[in-house]
Each structure stands twice: as structure tokens, then as C-alpha cells.
Amino acid sequence: MICNGKLEMETEMQIEMELKMKDEALSAKRVEQERQEQEAARNKNRLDAWFARVMHDVLQEEQDTWERQWNEFCKLAKVKGQIQHRDIPWVPVGSSVAGVLHTDSAIERKRKIHSAMRRWHPDKFFAQFGHMLCPRDHAKIVIDVDNMAKRLNSEVSN
């Protein structure tokens, strides 16, 4: 009987040791899994930040290019005397008419919107360039200036 009791105790101890080892292995596995999840989250955050910087730079470059084109257009309009539809640097569909970036301060955002409104408001545009418009392109320019103003108003209201 003592032998059986000792054997049962040893078996119980073995079972407890095996359970303890399994718990430790499972715990180590959980710790490793959590570490991997945290590393994946850090990598995702780094990638998101990198992508945001790249997109900001691309959008800023696009805005700078368009701004140069607008300035060249204004100079050309004074020299050329007659403006055709193709001379006007239309803001591409999908781009911000105002050129506002998500990183712009409230003051910069307001300045860009105000500048775009001065450019694309039909009354302002035609007061500045109306007398120079090519007669055969006049109707198309009127429609597209109106569309630019509508896009800008849509941006401002969102």
C-alpha cells in the first residue's frame, strides 16, 4: 500500500511537472506572440508615417508645379494677348483646387483657399482675363472656370 501511495505521489508530481512545463511553454509562446504583434504594429506605424511623408512631398511638389504653371500663364497672358483654353493651367481632377494639405496650419489653409477663390471665382477670373479670351474657346473656358469654382466650393464645405 505504501508502494502504491508513493507511486501515485510520484505520478502526480510528474503530471504536475509536465503541466507546469506546458504552462511555461505556452506562456513563452504567448510572450513571443505579443512581442511579434507589437513589432508588427511598430513596423506598420513606421510605414504609415513614411507613406504620409511621401504623399505630402508628392502633393507639395504637385502644388508647387501647378503654382509655377499659373505664374507662367499670367505672364504669358499679358504678353500673348489672347488666351486659349489650352493655355490655362487647369487643376487636374482629383487634385485639390485650393492646394490645401492635411499638414497645413489653419492660417495657411485660409490663405490657400482665399488665393484659389481669387483665381477661380468666375467674376474675378473674367475681370482679369475675360477681355483676352479667344472667341472660339470662350464658352469652354466659361464652363471650366465654373467647374473649378464648384470644385473649390465643394472642398471648402468639406
Side-chain angles (χ1 to χ4, degrees):
M1 198 104 178
I2 294 177
C3 229
N4 269 349
K6 188 174 180 182
L7 185 62
E8 284 178 12
M9 275 183 73
E10 285 178 6
T11 304
E12 262 184 54
M13 286 176 59
Q14 277 182 323
I15 291 172
E16 282 181 31
M17 289 266 286
E18 287 175 13
L19 286 174
K20 186 176 179 182
M21 288 172 55
K22 285 181 182 179
D23 280 348
E24 288 173 358
L26 187 59
S27 179
K29 195 173 185 179
R30 283 188 193 128
V31 166
E32 178 60 20
Q33 185 177 6
E34 285 177 16
R35 188 196 66 72
Q36 288 175 352
E37 287 171 359
Q38 289 171 349
E39 181 65 24
R42 279 193 298 274
N43 287 340
K44 182 185 180 314
N45 289 342
R46 283 187 213 118
L47 184 60
D48 288 348
W50 172 83
F51 184 74
R53 283 191 307 274
V54 168
M55 285 306 299
H56 177 271
D57 293 348
V58 166
L59 293 172
Q60 185 64 55
E61 180 61 32
E62 179 183 279
Q63 183 62 29
D64 292 346
T65 299
W66 187 86
E67 194 69 35
R68 282 191 299 277
Q69 290 172 348
W70 179 264
N71 292 333
E72 289 170 16
F73 161 71
C74 290
K75 290 174 190 173
L76 176 70
K78 290 176 185 173
V79 174
K80 189 174 178 183
Q82 193 172 67
I83 299 170
Q84 296 178 338
H85 185 273
R86 68 173 182 228
D87 296 330
I88 302 169
W90 304 103
V91 178
V93 173
S95 296
S96 170
V97 176
V100 174
L101 302 174
H102 70 280
T103 55
D104 287 343
S105 67
I107 293 169
E108 184 66 11
R109 176 180 161 78
K110 185 176 180 178
R111 185 194 66 74
K112 286 181 176 182
I113 289 170
H114 186 64
S115 176
M117 286 183 169
R118 282 193 319 266
R119 284 183 183 157
W120 295 115
H121 188 281
D123 292 340
K124 303 284 186 193
F125 185 89
F126 293 112
Q128 185 174 2
F129 302 111
H131 64 284
M132 295 183 240
L133 299 181
C134 174
R136 83 181 141 83
D137 288 356
H138 190 274
K140 186 169 175 48
I141 292 171
V142 168
I143 290 168
D144 285 348
V145 167
D146 189 52
N147 287 337
M148 295 297 280
K150 287 177 182 174
R151 284 175 51 199
L152 179 58
N153 286 334
S154 176
E155 282 180 31
V156 171
S157 66
N158 289 336

